[in-house]
Amino acid sequence: MVEGYERLIQAVYDPDGTESGEIRAERWFVDKKRALLASHAVGTIDQALLGILRTPHGFVRLFGLAGKTVVLDEVHAYDTYTETLLERLVAWLGAVGATVVLLSATLPSNRRRRLLRAFGAPPDLAMTASYPRVSVASAGQMNEYSFGSLRAPLVVGIERLADDANAVARVLADAIGDGGCGGWICNTVGRAQAAYRALRSLRNEGALPADTVLLLFHSRFLHADRARIERDVERMLGRSGERPRRAIIVGTQVLEQSLDIDFDLLATDISPIDLILQRTGRLHRHSRLRPPHLARPRLLLIVPEGGVLDAPLKQVAIVYEALVIRRTLLALEGRTEVRLPDDIERLVEEVYTYPDPPEHAAALADCREAFKQRMLAQEINAGGRVLPPPSIADDPFGQFGVPLRDDDDPGLADDLRAATRLGDFSIEIVCLNSREDRTFLDARCTAEIDLAKQPSRDQVRALIERGMRLSTRGLVHHIYRQNGPLPWRKSSVLRHRRPVVFNDRRAKIAGFELELDDELGLTIEREGHPA
């Protein structure tokens, strides 16, 4: 999509004006298989993980990383399946002469040991340096060094709120009535949309001042809109942002990592302890003058009603493992504050490493057994897809007669897919608009597009900007089964995308009602219930 590159491939690979050169250049010259061959490359961890999966060109990626310095960020943020792949990647990077830098603020000690051993540290690791620390491992040896935190110690007050969007909205409204910038992180898009609606209603009723900036940020916005919202959030709440007098930013997990933003107070759904700590790191992140009533950072923790061991979790924390959530609730039980960074390691270890408290072991037994079975299944699944360890004497590539495919076709059978993460089936849709049996790129229906014709480069760019990724069960399978336009199959970036045509911003598909809203993004309902 870079104009200079487009002109280059047209001149060099496509001199006669046919489309074959363009497709060839897209598929082979800039294909993701070769991106890591550059002297400097930035991408997702998935690009590196594909190097140790049994794919036809996995060795090309691994060769691209050999001898380089490979920096992997946020290495705590993965399930057991991806953790297993990551350990094998670290082992192979060590074998091909790479220097590996793994970054995390909340990595449990058992996972740290496994990653260090994978790279070649001795099996009897003596980890004694206090947190924060740097652990340096090489073949057969390891050293650790403690260092001081760059930020001043932070004491964050914890307040628990019931899982009621309207009630949480009122608490936030009261807190910033005299000024301040608050955040509200929800675990699902549907919950984030409901939270935003609750705040918007309060502003319309006058319970929130009219000048309060409300912004919603999640993955179900068009790509172009999502990029714009991210810029707006950083412009307002970044280190040198133009901070409004009052603002509440509502979002999903997109707010908890990568963005260097700073809230005066924060509400968050209950989540695993490492993610709560990551979210808490967005509180009072930068040194600045704050409203007097928000001089002390406040974390509003949204928890389900009921006891720690029997509270229903399907609404507030359905996307996370029940055992981890219940152990997080136990670790935070009775706490009215958390001290950063002093409490980080203790809380993470309490949830992920220490055995169940004796008084709760029996109550957690069934939950833990189900957790162990799922983790074991993920390890076995990952183990069947990766290269053997580099230490084996035989040819590690020789046994893979039928390799996995790293094609981005979402319909590829799971047992043939070179998956770097587990998750629901998902597809990339392109949101188009219709009027009088004509199809348009924009909501105002001014830029018409003929889906029966090969799109121009400008139209391809516009189509991608009108895209988003969906994973709603039932809906995505139905959309995928509708073959995309024939001309799209000749484009490397469009061939697996599916158009969804909206009429007056609405569409009905397989019992689902979809609506594109400028403030809410894409809302999805089935039989009146958010999906």
Side-chain angles (χ1 to χ4, degrees):
M1 293 294 102
V2 178
E3 292 183 5
Y5 174 72
E6 292 172 13
R7 290 193 296 270
L8 176 65
I9 64 170
Q10 289 169 4
V12 177
Y13 289 91
D14 196 14
D16 59 356
T18 64
E19 67 182 20
S20 58
E22 178 181 335
I23 297 298
R24 184 177 117 192
E26 287 181 349
R27 292 294 305 276
W28 294 105
F29 184 65
V30 294
D31 193 280
K32 56 189 177 184
K33 299 180 181 68
R34 291 156 182 77
L36 298 180
L37 294 175
S39 58
H40 296 82
V42 178
T44 65
I45 194 172
D46 308 86
Q47 300 300 327
L49 290 175
L50 285 167
I52 49 86
L53 291 173
R54 48 189 181 99
T55 63
H57 301 101
F59 64 90
V60 177
R61 293 186 174 89
L62 198 57
F63 175 77
L65 295 173
K68 293 179 178 174
T69 296
V70 181
V71 182
L72 303 174
D73 197 9
E74 308 288 6
V75 295
H76 62 274
Y78 304 109
D79 58 19
T80 300
Y81 175 86
T82 305
E83 287 175 6
T84 305
L85 302 186
L86 179 60
E87 289 174 28
R88 190 59 50 86
L89 173 64
V90 168
W92 270 99
L93 288 175
V96 298
T99 296
V100 185
V101 180
L102 306 176
L103 301 174
S104 174
T106 54
L107 192 66
S109 60
N110 53 359
R111 287 216 52 224
R112 186 158 50 99
R113 281 189 171 89
R114 292 176 63 169
L115 288 167
L116 289 166
R117 287 169 179 159
F119 193 76
D124 54 337
L125 296 181
M127 299 191 295
T128 58
S130 59
Y131 180 92
R133 70 175 71 81
V134 174
S135 303
V136 183
S138 57
Q141 59 181 334
M142 190 194 79
N143 295 294
E144 288 192 320
Y145 309 91
S146 297
F147 61 93
S149 172
L150 293 178
R151 293 175 60 183
L154 191 68
V155 180
V156 179
I158 299 177
E159 304 169 33
R160 289 160 182 79
L161 300 178
D163 184 20
D164 180 330
N166 292 320
V168 176
R170 285 191 290 271
V171 172
L172 284 171
D174 291 343
I176 69 161
D178 292 329
C181 295
W184 187 349
I185 300 180
C186 304
N187 290 335
T188 66
V189 173
R191 288 177 62 85
Q193 290 171 332
Y196 183 85
R197 285 192 182 101
L199 288 167
R200 188 172 60 182
S201 295
L202 289 181
R203 188 175 61 181
N204 292 340
E205 296 165 3
L208 257 178
D211 65 348
T212 303
V213 176
L214 296 181
L215 202 59
L216 178 62
F217 187 30
H218 56 69
S219 61
R220 283 210 313 241
F221 280 99
L222 301 178
H223 290 317
D225 291 338
R226 181 172 173 177
R228 172 183 53 77
I229 294 169
E230 182 172 326
R231 289 193 298 270
D232 289 344
V233 171
E234 291 190 307
R235 175 180 54 79
M236 287 190 296
L237 301 180
R239 184 176 298 274
S240 56
E242 303 169 9
R243 209 167 178 85
R245 174 170 168 74
R246 299 180 190 86
I248 301 177
I249 311 300
V250 182
T252 55
Q253 292 86 344
V254 295
L255 290 176
E256 76 189 24
Q257 294 182 128
S258 301
L259 294 178
D260 184 16
I261 55 178
D262 171 31
F263 296 115
D264 297 320
L265 79 159
L266 178 67
T268 174
D269 285 348
I270 185 68
S271 60
I273 189 63
D274 48 327
L275 301 188
I276 289 178
L277 293 169
Q278 289 282 342
R279 297 173 187 186
T280 305
R282 269 58 193 161
L283 272 169
H284 290 220
R285 187 176 181 89
H286 303 140
S287 297
R288 56 166 40 95
L289 186 64
R290 302 182 189 277
H293 61 290
L294 295 175
R296 186 191 184 201
R298 296 169 59 193
L299 181 70
L300 310 177
L301 192 61
I302 302 168
V303 297
E305 293 186 8
V308 169
L309 301 177
D310 58 9
L313 302 177
K314 287 189 175 181
Q315 291 300 319
V316 66
I318 191 172
V319 295
Y320 299 115
E321 285 288 346
L323 178 68
V324 177
I325 296 297
R326 297 204 185 281
R327 288 190 55 121
T328 296
L329 289 169
L330 282 171
L332 294 176
E333 190 174 29
R335 275 184 173 267
T336 58
E337 63 181 31
V338 59
R339 296 175 177 270
L340 304 181
D342 295 352
D343 291 338
I344 291 178
E345 185 169 43
R346 183 183 307 113
L347 287 169
V348 170
E349 293 297 290
E350 197 169 330
V351 172
Y352 287 104
T353 304
Y354 300 158
D356 292 331
E359 64 272 24
H360 299 304
L364 289 173
D366 291 343
C367 192
R368 173 164 292 283
E369 184 59 30
F371 175 78
K372 285 182 176 179
Q373 292 300 320
R374 283 191 292 272
M375 298 308 100
L376 178 61
Q378 290 185 25
E379 283 189 14
I380 294 173
N381 189 352
R385 297 171 187 262
V386 296
L387 291 175
S391 57
I392 68 168
D394 199 3
D395 174 13
F397 301 98
Q399 63 176 286
F400 296 131
V402 183
L404 299 170
R405 289 169 54 189
D406 60 352
D407 192 291
D408 56 358
D409 182 357
L412 192 65
D414 184 66
D415 56 353
L416 296 176
R417 183 187 304 279
T420 57
R421 309 179 192 223
L422 297 181
D424 291 336
F425 179 81
S426 66
I427 59 171
E428 188 84 12
I429 67 168
V430 177
C431 301
L432 303 175
N433 300 274
S434 69
R435 178 184 292 173
E436 299 175 353
D437 297 325
R438 298 159 65 192
T439 305
F440 298 85
L441 285 166
D442 59 322
R444 295 192 300 272
C445 296
T446 60
E448 187 172 2
I449 184 168
D450 187 347
L451 298 183
K453 294 182 178 179
Q454 191 72 29
S456 67
R457 297 293 294 180
D458 287 341
Q459 287 177 329
V460 170
R461 184 193 308 276
L463 288 166
I464 292 174
E465 290 178 345
R466 298 283 303 173
M468 70 177 69
R469 181 160 290 277
L470 290 187
S471 59
T472 305
R473 292 182 181 179
L475 175 63
V476 295
H477 286 85
H478 182 87
I479 294 174
Y480 177 76
R481 287 195 295 267
Q482 313 304 310
N483 291 327
L486 184 60
W488 289 20
R489 301 178 203 174
K490 299 179 181 180
S491 168
S492 64
V493 294
L494 295 178
R495 66 187 186 275
H496 295 313
R497 287 172 163 84
R498 296 292 187 268
V500 174
V501 180
F502 291 78
N503 191 341
D504 193 23
R505 296 179 176 266
R506 292 178 172 84
K508 289 187 177 181
I509 303 174
F512 291 88
E513 295 184 2
L514 285 65
E515 182 174 358
L516 273 175
D517 185 279
D518 290 339
E519 293 182 69
L520 295 172
L522 180 68
T523 62
I524 303 175
E525 292 192 353
R526 186 169 193 175
E527 298 174 349
H529 299 286

